[in-house]
Amino acid sequence: MELLQKETKAGLGCGGCRLTLFSIFGEAPKDLNVLEHDHIPGASACVKPGMRLMKGLVVADGKIESTIYASNAVPPQFIDCDSTTELEYALFDLEGRAVLHRCDSFKTNQTFVFDSREESLPRPFYGLFLFQLKRSNYGASRFNVHWSNGRSTTTTHEIGDSGRPDVHFPLIVNKNVLEGPNRIYISIQNTYNENPMRCTIRVYDVDNRDDITWDCPIPRFGTRWFDVLEQFFRPALKQRPNGNFALRIFRPDLDCNRAPNIYFFFHNRTTDLLNVNHM
Amino acid sequence: MIAAAPTAGLKYEPDSMSKLLIAGWLPPTDEYQTTLTHFPGNNVHPPYPTHGYFFATMSVYREDKLVAQLHSPGCDETGSVRFDLDVAVGLLPPFSGMMLVEYHHTKGIPLEVYTAHVHRKTGSYFACNITPVVGSDIYPNFRATHMENVLFMPGLAFRPEIETSIVLLNPFKVKFSYQLHLIFGDATQQQSEALELKPMSLRCYPLETIFPRCSEKSARFEGRTSLCVTSQYKQISYLMQRDRETGIVTTLDHLHAYVLH
């Protein structure tokens, strides 16, 4: 075991060790970044190897502002190398209209920053951020978005092509949640050149399947922003006050390769804290 | 091992079943109510099979000791698999630990699983996608192809109101070594000494405890600071942000793989 651990030690000293412990995991090491590696539609890893075009959400509504970070840091196993590249980014509003488009250089170990506070955006703004790298990228390029309301900051990453055409909000909502301290917002984005992308929003009682559905067309590169408690759960709980409701968002054609980007936000009114995640 | 009786009308056929093993962080049980609600029907459509059977076992570890185990009832794609951790941990002294979920599902149907955590005093909520898996036999090469032993997180928020931590899980029966690296906006780096995690355990490090002056230095770069974790084997790690004033978690998110081509 000691020898095995020594041989598989990662870090700066090993200069590129990507080995795994065969004896424990029984697997062959495989570089996930080789171009010919099969894409797995709908894979659950939240990982899109080699993604150079990334897609995320910018909110700038006066209450929440957004800062985007991407790094061109060189992985430790590469030690010293030049990862300089060009980048291009664009921002689209709710209706998918481009409001800015820029190109820049992205130097080795540089961090890219886009801060909505420094932009003259038409507020309230909710929109799609596209970020593209122009060449092989040796850095940790996936961008993160920080959403901040001044009191708190929450973050998650771009979700590119989510591969998830059918998702559930991970909380069952009843009258206690509806009247509780949290406001819940969901953004749904059409990240494709498809006009419009049609999604269905379904709120249903998990005990008896009674449901209400909404059609949600989203223009190409457009974004939709919902107060889900007021717009979706309140109508359902009005019909069935003691119900326990789930929220499902799906493309009727269930196309894994053209799934929408979806983020959900919680704002706790007691503490003024934000929390975000993606679906 | 599975105690749950199959739901009426569903027939358990071992040959048609697959197993997903996933690990997540259990926040302090006196501060948070933790639930897991999973709707497996999300992926029960072509090209995946159209009829499925699902159930799970959740094991809870404190330090490296198994302290509770829960079994869900089975369901088909119209139902949901649910756990309320209070049922199991409510009788124990408060602790924070690791959840290990063994999810049994019909072969060919992939899953995305989130945990939900509600702060008991304020109702503040956070959710976490715990699908970065330990192992799966739906995709036998999953560990090899989708997991990494070098992960990264760009843009750390070192702000006065935020405590930033790294959560590392070791769901394996062997010890686990790793190093943490901070990369600042001027491309300078700091790295920790080699750290070690006991088998079947979890550690949560506020970065300031590993890098005592990182906040000061990072503040000069206004968020242009990134975190890299290198580990002995493929890792499961999360970035956590807490509000300092209340201790409430505002972010729990997995780190990213480098893009190497």
Side-chain angles (χ1 to χ4, degrees):
Chain A
M1 178 58 79
E2 190 178 335
L3 180 63
L4 194 58
Q5 291 192 351
K6 185 180 172 189
E7 297 215 342
T8 57
K9 185 181 179 195
L12 290 170
C14 82
C17 171
R18 294 170 56 80
L19 291 175
T20 50
L21 292 174
F22 297 105
S23 61
I24 295 170
F25 305 117
E27 67 189 27
K30 186 174 180 181
D31 190 334
L32 84 168
N33 296 300
V34 293
L35 286 169
E36 61 270 26
H37 178 68
D38 292 340
H39 171 65
I40 303 170
S44 307
C46 201
V47 169
K48 294 290 173 182
M51 185 164 50
R52 295 176 196 163
L53 177 59
M54 292 166 262
K55 303 157 184 174
L57 172 72
V58 166
V59 180
D61 64 0
K63 296 174 185 169
I64 302 174
E65 296 290 332
S66 310
T67 314
I68 291 172
Y69 296 98
S71 172
N72 199 16
V74 175
Q77 60 265 49
F78 279 36
I79 308 180
D80 291 318
C81 68
D82 180 11
S83 65
T84 301
T85 184
E86 299 298 311
L87 63 83
E88 182 177 359
Y89 61 96
L91 188 61
F92 298 84
D93 68 8
L94 282 171
E95 300 308 318
R97 295 177 294 243
V99 296
L100 66 84
H101 174 219
R102 293 173 189 154
C103 297
D104 207 344
S105 171
F106 202 17
K107 296 190 177 78
T108 305
N109 289 324
Q110 185 184 351
T111 302
F112 167 84
V113 182
F114 174 88
D115 190 338
S116 66
R117 296 169 194 80
E118 296 174 2
E119 305 290 339
S120 55
L121 301 173
R123 286 174 164 77
F125 184 88
Y126 307 92
L128 174 67
F129 190 82
L130 292 186
F131 180 78
Q132 185 172 28
L133 297 169
K134 293 294 188 181
R135 53 150 277 184
S136 297
N137 169 52
Y138 299 126
S141 64
R142 293 192 79 179
F143 72 70
N144 272 0
V145 189
H146 290 202
W147 293 274
S148 177
N149 64 355
R151 165 73 179 88
S152 74
T153 300
T154 184
T155 180
T156 190
H157 52 86
E158 53 78 26
I159 41 177
D161 305 323
S162 74
R164 298 169 184 169
D166 186 350
V167 295
H168 270 85
F169 179 62
L171 186 71
I172 290 172
V173 171
N174 57 24
K175 59 187 176 187
N176 295 329
V177 177
L178 183 69
E179 304 304 340
N182 295 304
R183 295 291 88 191
I184 306 171
Y185 305 94
I186 283 182
S187 69
I188 308 177
Q189 298 184 296
N190 174 4
T191 64
Y192 299 96
N193 190 11
E194 174 187 6
N195 199 15
M197 171 191 285
R198 301 201 86 86
C199 291
T200 299
I201 298 170
R202 178 180 178 233
V203 169
Y204 67 94
D205 190 316
V206 294
D207 299 317
N208 65 16
R209 315 289 171 209
D210 282 357
D211 69 353
I212 305 176
T213 61
W214 290 264
D215 181 39
C216 178
I218 311 171
R220 145 188 120 101
F221 301 143
T223 297
R224 291 293 176 262
W225 176 263
F226 298 107
D227 178 338
V228 291
L229 289 181
E230 293 303 321
Q231 292 178 258
F232 304 130
F233 286 110
R234 190 174 292 282
L237 281 155
K238 191 173 179 183
Q239 288 185 11
R240 189 177 291 277
N242 294 317
N244 295 297
F245 286 94
L247 173 69
R248 177 183 168 209
I249 302 169
F250 61 100
R251 275 185 71 116
D253 61 1
L254 299 168
D255 184 346
C256 289
N257 295 308
R258 299 177 83 80
N261 266 17
I262 304 176
Y263 292 96
F264 58 89
F265 288 76
F266 276 71
H267 175 238
N268 184 274
R269 289 177 294 185
T270 307
T271 59
D272 200 19
L273 297 178
L274 293 171
N275 181 270
V276 69
N277 214 308
H278 58 77
M279 292 201 281
Chain B
M1 183 175 179
I2 301 301
T7 301
L10 292 174
K11 189 177 177 186
Y12 178 66
E13 295 174 349
D15 291 346
S16 69
M17 297 297 284
S18 190
K19 185 173 72 178
L20 180 73
L21 192 60
I22 54 183
W25 177 56
L26 176 65
T29 55
D30 55 339
E31 295 177 26
Y32 281 92
Q33 179 193 4
T34 294
T35 57
L36 186 157
T37 306
H38 183 251
F39 301 89
N42 286 131
N43 287 320
V44 186
H45 308 285
Y48 305 121
T50 53
H51 295 283
Y53 179 41
F54 309 88
F55 60 93
T57 296
M58 180 183 285
S59 302
V60 181
Y61 289 82
R62 178 175 55 191
E63 294 292 335
D64 54 348
K65 302 289 188 301
L66 178 67
V67 295
Q69 201 163 51
L70 295 85
H71 307 280
S72 80
C75 69
D76 64 14
E77 59 266 31
T78 63
S80 57
V81 169
R82 297 190 225 176
F83 291 105
D84 181 348
L85 272 287
D86 274 2
V87 171
V89 302
L91 298 174
L92 300 172
F95 72 102
S96 176
M98 179 172 73
M99 299 174 283
L100 203 56
V101 181
E102 197 175 275
Y103 203 127
H104 297 251
H105 56 104
T106 296
K107 274 182 182 169
I109 300 176
L111 307 171
E112 295 98 25
V113 181
Y114 289 75
T115 52
H117 312 272
V118 180
H119 190 248
R120 295 183 192 277
K121 282 185 186 166
T122 64
S124 190
Y125 171 98
F126 75 92
C128 184
N129 180 331
I130 60 169
T131 313
V133 297
V134 180
S136 166
D137 49 19
I138 180 172
Y139 300 126
N141 294 325
F142 195 97
R143 270 189 49 83
T145 59
H146 279 73
M147 294 182 73
E148 291 289 331
N149 61 1
V150 182
L151 292 182
F152 193 86
M153 174 65 79
L156 299 185
F158 283 105
R159 295 179 187 156
E161 72 273 18
I162 298 170
E163 179 189 73
T164 302
S165 304
I166 178 83
V167 180
L168 278 136
L169 283 71
N170 179 8
F172 309 118
K173 292 176 180 172
V174 289
K175 65 183 179 182
F176 182 85
S177 299
Y178 52 94
Q179 277 183 298
L180 309 180
H181 311 253
L182 279 187
I183 302 154
F184 296 100
D186 60 358
T188 57
Q189 299 191 17
Q190 271 186 281
Q191 68 187 84
S192 72
E193 59 186 19
L195 303 166
E196 199 166 85
L197 206 51
K198 285 192 293 187
M200 307 304 288
S201 67
L202 168 150
R203 286 291 297 273
C204 173
Y205 298 100
L207 290 179
E208 288 158 345
T209 65
I210 303 293
F211 305 104
R213 305 194 65 178
C214 61
S215 296
E216 283 173 41
K217 184 166 183 183
S218 182
R220 302 208 306 268
F221 303 111
E222 298 178 341
R224 291 176 173 82
T225 300
S226 302
L227 171 70
C228 175
V229 182
T230 53
S231 58
Q232 184 183 20
Y233 349 122
K234 296 186 176 189
Q235 63 179 271
I236 300 173
S237 53
Y238 296 94
L239 183 90
M240 179 168 65
Q241 293 177 334
R242 279 180 189 265
D243 176 60
R244 283 189 203 273
E245 182 183 325
T246 60
I248 291 171
V249 175
T250 57
T251 296
L252 187 68
D253 198 13
H254 60 84
L255 275 64
H256 308 173
Y258 277 88
V259 181
L260 297 175
H261 72 267

